[in-house]
Amino acid sequence: MAESMKDYEKELEESMKTIEEGDILTGTVISVDEKEVILDLKYYAEGVIPAENYSREPGFSLKDEVHEGDEVSATVVRKDDGQGNILLSRVEAVDVLAWDKLKELKESGEVLDVVVKGITNAGVIAYVEGVRGFIPASKLALNYVEDTEEYLIQVQVLDVDKESKKLILSAKEILRAKAEEERKNKVSNLEIGLVTEGTVESLQPYGAFVNLGNGLSGLVHISQICEKRIKKPSEVLAVGDTVKVKVTAIKDGKLSLSIKEATDMMAKEIEEEVYEVPDAGEQATTSLGSLFANIKLD
């Protein structure tokens, strides 16, 4: 009972506090339609946020984005809207609160889901905490930007400048990390000793990089290209060549390959096929006489 009385006293105290224009209040959504959001402020009057004062985000829909039970912070515009309610503006509160939140997001490096709301030649536009943000094309790590809006991507806050109202986002680091993680998973499924086919994608003084497909590539050291000693890979290889390689080592997500060992293995397999030896327990069915019967000597 004491607990209930304390709660009652707290609510009573809240309802009697003085509210001034410019104050930021937090309330619970108790009603929402296309025109306005109604908040329970635990005060003698309810708070009303008109649709135009809720968000500057293009295409924002109150009915789709705001739900009963949501907690919303908004700035007091007028203590009485003419109907006994407190007139509020969420966009004004966002201008005050959002930039601090954006700084926190930059420091934490948190990954955010955002919806592309506009496309330019230089990049795309998305909103975070109600603030218009820009993702430069160089920070998208995509070959192209689809010519469509409402495209969901993941970003991190790259730069925040409250004074100039500048918010720069980046998707590049996330996509790079995802690609690297996927690559490591694919590499972990390979086995040392596997012989496969690949395409020479680049030549370096120390060896050749071979593309194995499926986003995987590995290095063939110059000493593992062929049996003979060569001064540079281009003596025997060219970009675009298709080669057989053997996986010789996997370390830190990197593949070491050998053309020489793959060639040796294939040569050995061919030799074993040509000179197939019967098992020790296999019964001889051919005599020496019949074996040489058809052989003609000059």
Side-chain angles (χ1 to χ4, degrees):
M1 189 70 180
E3 187 73 17
S4 298
M5 183 58 72
K6 277 187 177 180
D7 291 342
Y8 175 76
E9 288 175 355
K10 184 178 179 182
E11 288 189 13
L12 184 62
E13 183 181 340
E14 288 286 324
S15 70
M16 296 181 67
K17 67 185 178 183
T18 302
I19 291 177
E20 300 295 341
E21 292 180 5
D23 288 351
I24 295 179
L25 307 179
T26 299
T28 304
V29 176
I30 56 175
S31 175
V32 57
D33 58 31
E34 294 176 352
K35 295 182 178 180
E36 62 187 17
V37 175
I38 308 297
L39 300 183
D40 176 10
L41 301 172
K42 297 190 183 303
Y43 195 59
Y44 70 86
E46 294 173 342
V48 177
I49 309 176
E52 64 271 17
N53 287 347
Y54 196 92
S55 175
R56 295 193 183 101
E57 190 173 330
F60 188 90
S61 168
L62 288 181
K63 293 194 73 174
D64 292 339
E65 303 294 338
V66 186
H67 308 93
E68 290 185 17
D70 288 353
E71 280 203 348
V72 177
S73 294
T75 301
V76 175
V77 177
R78 288 203 305 270
K79 291 188 285 183
D80 190 336
D81 67 349
Q83 296 181 351
N85 299 311
I86 300 171
L87 183 63
L88 302 170
S89 171
R90 179 177 172 271
V91 292
E92 288 191 22
V94 164
D95 287 341
V96 175
L97 300 174
W99 293 99
D100 290 337
K101 177 64 176 177
L102 291 170
K103 285 181 181 178
E104 291 177 11
L105 291 171
K106 178 186 176 183
E107 291 170 4
S108 69
E110 184 178 336
V111 176
L112 310 168
D113 290 323
V114 299
V115 176
V116 172
K117 291 293 186 178
I119 300 172
T120 71
N121 291 333
V124 299
I125 297 164
Y127 285 75
V128 179
E129 297 293 319
V131 176
R132 183 181 187 274
F134 183 67
I135 312 169
S138 62
K139 295 300 179 183
L140 281 168
L142 299 173
N143 293 329
Y144 64 94
V145 177
E146 292 189 10
D147 189 19
T148 180
E149 296 188 358
E150 304 302 318
Y151 184 70
L152 183 67
I153 57 175
Q154 289 188 316
V155 299
Q156 291 172 300
V157 176
L158 186 66
D159 189 25
V160 178
D161 189 337
K162 182 179 178 180
E163 299 303 319
S164 60
K165 304 289 184 184
K166 182 176 72 174
L167 171 62
I168 305 297
L169 308 170
S170 173
K172 190 172 184 177
E173 287 72 18
I174 299 168
L175 294 172
R176 184 189 291 123
K178 281 186 175 180
E180 183 60 25
E181 187 63 29
E182 288 177 6
R183 182 183 181 281
K184 286 182 179 179
N185 289 336
K186 292 174 184 176
V187 168
S188 67
N189 291 326
L190 296 178
E191 292 184 1
I192 294 176
L194 171 71
V195 175
T196 186
E197 194 171 79
T199 305
V200 177
E201 61 182 3
S202 72
L203 298 175
Q204 305 296 332
Y206 50 83
F209 283 95
V210 175
N211 184 350
L212 303 181
N214 200 25
L216 295 176
S217 64
L219 173 66
V220 180
H221 190 268
I222 191 169
S223 64
Q224 294 298 312
I225 291 177
C226 59
E227 292 289 350
K228 69 177 184 179
R229 192 183 183 94
I230 57 175
K231 291 183 179 179
K232 52 186 179 179
S234 59
E235 291 180 23
V236 292
L237 292 176
V239 172
D241 284 353
T242 298
V243 293
K244 290 281 188 180
V245 294
K246 177 183 176 182
V247 178
T248 57
I250 302 173
K251 185 178 181 182
D252 298 329
K254 296 180 180 179
L255 298 176
S256 294
L257 308 172
S258 174
I259 296 175
K260 183 169 71 175
E261 290 191 27
T263 304
D264 290 345
M265 283 183 67
M266 288 187 293
K268 186 177 180 182
E269 287 174 4
I270 293 172
E271 184 178 327
E272 288 176 351
E273 287 176 8
V274 174
Y275 300 103
E276 187 175 350
V277 179
D279 293 338
E282 185 178 335
Q283 187 157 356
T285 58
T286 305
S287 66
L288 281 176
S290 61
L291 182 64
F292 288 104
N294 296 321
I295 297 178
K296 295 181 180 180
L297 300 176
D298 293 332

